[in-house]
Amino acid sequence: MHIYIYDTFVSQKKNNSTIIKIETRITDLGLNGKIVRLSMLSSLGEVIQNEIKKGAKTITVVGNNNIFHNAINVLAYLKSLKQIKADIPLGFIPFGKENNSLALGLGLNMEEAACDTISARRIKTFDLAQANDHYFLAEALISSKGTSVNIDKNYSIEIMGQGEIGIVNLPILSKLPKEIGSNGEDGVLELFIKTKEGNKFLSFPNKNIKQSIFSFKDLTINNKTKKVLLDQTIEIAPPLKINISTEKINLIISKGLIF
Amino acid sequence: MFNKENEQINIKEAETIIGPSIKVKGNFHGQGNIIIEGFVEGSIKTDKFLLIGDKSKITANIEAKDAKIGGEVNGNVNVSGYLEINASAKIKGDIKASQISVMRGAQLNGQIIMGKNEEKK
């Protein structure tokens, strides 16, 4: 059975007409299933767990980055507990104009148009990265200020300029040089450091951005004041151990997605 | 200066790039091409190509298949293939390489051992 889980904000009255269009399109495509509307009191984790126990074949979430990121976390967590089969795919119908960068990066269409992607059912398996107990699909970001990084317990990295540190699994938010070959399927993560070099001879900051790239499997990151932003969705405080998770995720993606 | 065309090819194929604002401490071992424009303390090892840029400062023993050195190196350099030393290079340490070229202006302080480079077992 197809399960559609609507995020809390999706069920607001102002969204009724869009929801009707999505549901009509789903019916037209023969993808009818059960609709679960999340409320302030309901838990996405419990909903997904219950529906899988009842025999869900596909979980599709309707909302923005938040519900998509959370659904990935729930599915990965349940897989780690051996509570579900590894092959249940996750669909995503992006909804609303804000906070949908993951959908944009994955090349998904919005709202009603996304139903055709679900119908085409192109399923791809991606690695997941893990930061302590949190899973993420795309990237983790933190300011370089005050951040220390240790890679594979072999060496540490000190960043002398101000900038940003990205740990990239799937390069759909931060674009890495193509030559690096990061694709979310290779079992390694990329550490990407962007620093802006100051220039004392100019009255404005030098816009020349210097980049550093390292591939790794295991990294620890620490910062006493700054937090790490996962998938542009949730902030968590270091220290963090970041590595490729043993769990993977099956996503229903657009045909046009090319890395 | 390094051949710009060659340098561009190497940058495209680099697995690791250490930028000018980055300092790496520890044993930095890679399997792909490495470009260093920053600072490294410890050891560097790669099975492929190593490029040490003109402004980089390395305090480490170096092992690579092929290498181009343009910066400051304090440590032994062990290259199984071809080593190219740029005019701006300052190397304090012993150098082993099968083939070597040194540009005018480079500063080398240490032994240079040429010929087939047998790996220690």
Side-chain angles (χ1 to χ4, degrees):
Chain A
M1 178 185 272
H2 301 289
I3 305 297
Y4 298 90
I5 304 173
Y6 294 2
D7 202 353
T8 320
F9 78 93
V10 172
S11 301
Q12 291 171 357
K13 272 188 179 178
K14 64 178 182 182
N15 296 325
N16 278 354
S17 64
T18 312
I19 284 294
I20 288 168
K21 284 180 189 171
I22 290 173
E23 291 176 356
T24 304
R25 187 69 187 144
I26 284 170
T27 305
D28 290 346
L29 292 166
L31 299 171
N32 308 42
K34 180 179 177 182
I35 293 170
V36 181
R37 292 176 176 81
L38 291 180
S39 69
M40 297 301 283
L41 300 174
S42 53
S43 148
L44 178 67
E46 285 177 12
V47 169
I48 291 177
Q49 193 172 9
N50 288 337
E51 295 304 330
I52 288 172
K53 276 181 187 172
K54 290 176 192 170
K57 293 282 189 295
T58 305
I59 301 286
T60 299
V61 291
V62 185
N64 57 25
N65 281 357
N66 292 329
I67 194 167
F68 184 53
H69 173 85
N70 289 338
I72 287 171
N73 266 270
V74 169
L75 286 169
Y77 177 68
L78 292 175
K79 279 182 199 173
S80 73
L81 299 178
K82 313 285 181 204
Q83 292 199 2
I84 57 170
K85 290 179 186 175
D87 56 0
I88 293 178
L90 176 66
F92 181 30
I93 299 177
F95 196 101
K97 290 178 181 172
E98 294 175 357
N99 201 17
N100 259 317
S101 51
L102 288 169
L104 196 68
L106 283 167
L108 296 176
N109 292 316
M110 295 295 294
E111 299 168 350
E112 184 187 0
C115 300
D116 293 283
T117 301
I118 303 294
S119 173
R121 210 177 161 78
R122 183 190 173 210
I123 298 170
K124 196 159 184 174
T125 304
F126 290 105
D127 295 332
L128 285 177
Q130 197 168 355
N132 290 356
D133 295 332
H134 297 263
Y135 297 90
F136 61 94
L137 174 69
E139 67 179 24
L141 283 183
I142 186 170
S143 163
S144 66
K145 193 177 180 184
T147 300
S148 63
V149 179
N150 281 282
I151 293 186
D152 295 335
K153 294 179 184 170
N154 285 327
Y155 58 95
S156 63
I157 294 172
E158 188 182 319
I159 300 114
M160 292 175 285
Q162 284 203 4
E164 197 170 45
I165 298 173
I167 292 126
V168 179
N169 177 44
L170 185 63
I172 56 174
L173 298 176
S174 291
K175 299 296 179 192
L176 297 183
K178 282 181 184 174
E179 294 79 19
I180 298 303
S182 176
N183 58 17
E185 299 173 80
D186 53 8
V188 293
L189 298 170
E190 272 73 41
L191 173 71
F192 186 60
I193 303 168
K194 287 191 287 188
T195 55
K196 287 182 182 175
E197 302 272 295
N199 187 333
K200 61 186 176 184
F201 299 112
L202 299 173
S203 58
F204 51 86
N206 186 348
K207 290 180 180 175
N208 186 23
I209 294 174
K210 303 291 183 182
Q211 300 172 343
S212 298
I213 297 167
F214 301 80
S215 296
F216 71 96
K217 289 187 175 178
D218 197 315
L219 170 151
T220 54
I221 198 161
N222 210 341
N223 190 313
K224 288 179 180 172
T225 55
K226 307 281 183 184
K227 290 183 176 179
V228 176
L229 179 65
L230 302 183
D231 282 351
Q232 293 186 356
T233 303
I234 182 173
E235 281 191 323
I236 52 176
L240 290 178
K241 183 185 174 194
I242 297 178
N243 55 277
I244 282 283
S245 168
T246 52
E247 315 310 329
K248 293 178 186 287
I249 190 82
N250 294 321
L251 296 181
I252 303 174
I253 58 164
S254 163
K255 280 184 178 175
L257 181 66
I258 299 170
F259 295 112
Chain B
M1 281 303 255
F2 297 138
N3 180 315
K4 279 190 177 178
E5 191 180 336
N6 284 343
E7 191 174 350
Q8 206 163 18
I9 291 166
N10 292 325
I11 287 169
K12 282 185 176 180
E13 293 171 353
E15 183 190 81
T16 305
I17 301 170
I18 300 175
S21 304
I22 306 296
K23 184 188 270 187
V24 172
K25 289 182 181 177
N27 301 316
F28 184 71
H29 295 175
Q31 290 172 333
N33 297 337
I34 298 173
I35 294 174
I36 301 174
E37 297 287 348
F39 305 83
V40 180
E41 290 177 15
S43 68
I44 304 165
K45 190 176 179 180
T46 178
D47 298 334
K48 292 192 177 173
F49 177 81
L50 172 68
L51 171 64
I52 296 176
D54 293 3
K55 291 179 181 174
S56 56
K57 288 188 179 177
I58 313 294
T59 307
N61 290 328
I62 294 168
E63 282 184 49
K65 183 170 177 278
D66 299 300
K68 284 185 183 180
I69 298 177
E72 200 174 313
V73 176
N74 285 296
N76 298 328
V77 178
N78 191 344
V79 173
S80 58
Y82 175 52
L83 171 63
E84 187 176 332
I85 299 173
N86 189 21
S88 56
K90 292 179 183 176
I91 301 175
K92 283 184 185 174
D94 296 340
I95 297 170
K96 284 183 185 177
S98 294
Q99 295 176 299
I100 190 167
S101 73
V102 183
M103 287 184 74
R104 183 179 180 177
Q107 294 179 29
L108 308 180
N109 287 288
Q111 283 189 318
I112 298 177
I113 300 167
M114 293 290 299
K116 193 175 181 182
N117 205 347
E118 291 180 12
E119 286 183 12
K120 289 179 184 176
K121 291 184 179 177

